[in-house]
Amino acid sequence: MAKYKKRIYEIDQIKELEFSDIEIEPTLTFGFPISKGWAWGVGASFHYHGISTETAQGISLQTGISGNLFHWSVGVSLQNIGDTLSWSTGTEEHRPLLLNIGLASPTTVFGQIFSDVSVQQNELESLNIGYAYTLLKNLEIRSGVQDITHEALPSIGLGLHLGNLEIQYSFSSQADLGNIQKVGLTYEP
């Protein structure tokens, strides 16, 4: 859980407010091979978001296709299908569909470069670029820049592979919220 401070300026005074923000989003996905080197996937996410004393919950779906094209990895996904958050205040927050298109270079001894673009309501939402390097057999270090066309927010992270389990950690900077830490868990049977 992160704590944030926001300053409110009043006549000759500064009041500082503190509030907490937490987001939890477990996702269940299934992938199906459709031809050599290509797969189609579907997923469902449960969203929990808490800001201060208010909370929201919702469910969304996503689908996508990925594969290899001339030794490059490519993917296209459609996210936020049916995504509505119901807030404890009675407000319904409808999040628009998000189209993601990604591309990753072949992995070499120097690592892997990847990029994706997100489009929402016919507008460029963000353009991201990243780099991953396998430091040890099961440890990957990752870095990237989110939204390079607008805010250029840096991030760094680790991926630890333990058999069928991967533990991810990242540290990033967000324009409105400051520094954010994320932890993820992926299991592939």
Side-chain angles (χ1 to χ4, degrees):
M1 184 177 330
K3 289 200 178 223
Y4 305 101
K5 293 182 179 180
K6 184 175 183 178
R7 289 188 171 185
I8 298 175
Y9 293 91
E10 294 182 353
I11 301 172
D12 298 327
Q13 290 184 2
I14 297 177
K15 288 186 179 179
E16 205 169 84
L17 303 175
E18 285 192 20
F19 62 94
S20 61
D21 180 24
I22 186 169
E23 285 188 63
I24 300 171
E25 188 175 315
T27 303
L28 181 63
T29 59
F30 296 95
F32 309 95
I34 53 176
S35 70
K36 185 178 179 182
W38 288 86
W40 169 67
V42 294
S45 297
F46 171 77
H47 306 281
Y48 173 85
H49 193 167
I51 299 176
S52 190
T53 60
E54 305 301 334
T55 61
Q57 298 176 15
I59 296 174
S60 68
L61 304 174
Q62 53 269 340
T63 187
I65 187 169
S66 66
N68 294 311
L69 192 62
F70 305 111
H71 304 288
W72 286 73
S73 298
V74 295
V76 176
S77 69
L78 188 59
Q79 299 176 340
N80 299 347
I81 300 168
D83 193 353
T84 299
L85 289 176
S86 298
W87 285 89
S88 56
T89 59
T91 302
E92 297 284 317
E93 179 184 347
H94 302 280
R95 296 199 266 183
L97 290 175
L98 182 67
L99 174 68
N100 285 316
I101 303 167
L103 179 68
S105 70
T107 303
T108 69
V109 295
F110 301 107
Q112 184 178 38
I113 297 172
F114 44 90
S115 180
D116 76 322
V117 62
S118 298
V119 178
Q120 197 168 47
Q121 296 180 331
N122 297 325
E123 290 185 18
L124 177 66
E125 181 69 18
S126 68
L127 175 60
N128 312 303
I129 190 163
Y131 173 77
Y133 179 76
T134 303
L135 197 57
L136 302 170
K137 182 180 175 183
N138 62 342
L139 181 64
E140 188 175 76
I141 187 165
R142 302 166 182 162
S143 63
V145 179
Q146 179 184 2
D147 199 11
I148 62 175
T149 57
H150 298 103
E151 299 180 59
L153 305 167
S155 66
I156 190 160
L158 297 171
L160 179 62
H161 302 271
L162 304 169
N164 295 351
L165 183 69
E166 181 184 5
I167 301 168
Q168 303 117 7
Y169 169 80
S170 71
F171 178 86
S172 62
S173 178
Q174 298 291 318
D176 295 334
L177 301 176
N179 297 328
I180 292 183
Q181 298 181 61
K182 294 182 181 179
V183 176
L185 211 54
T186 302
Y187 177 76
E188 292 187 30

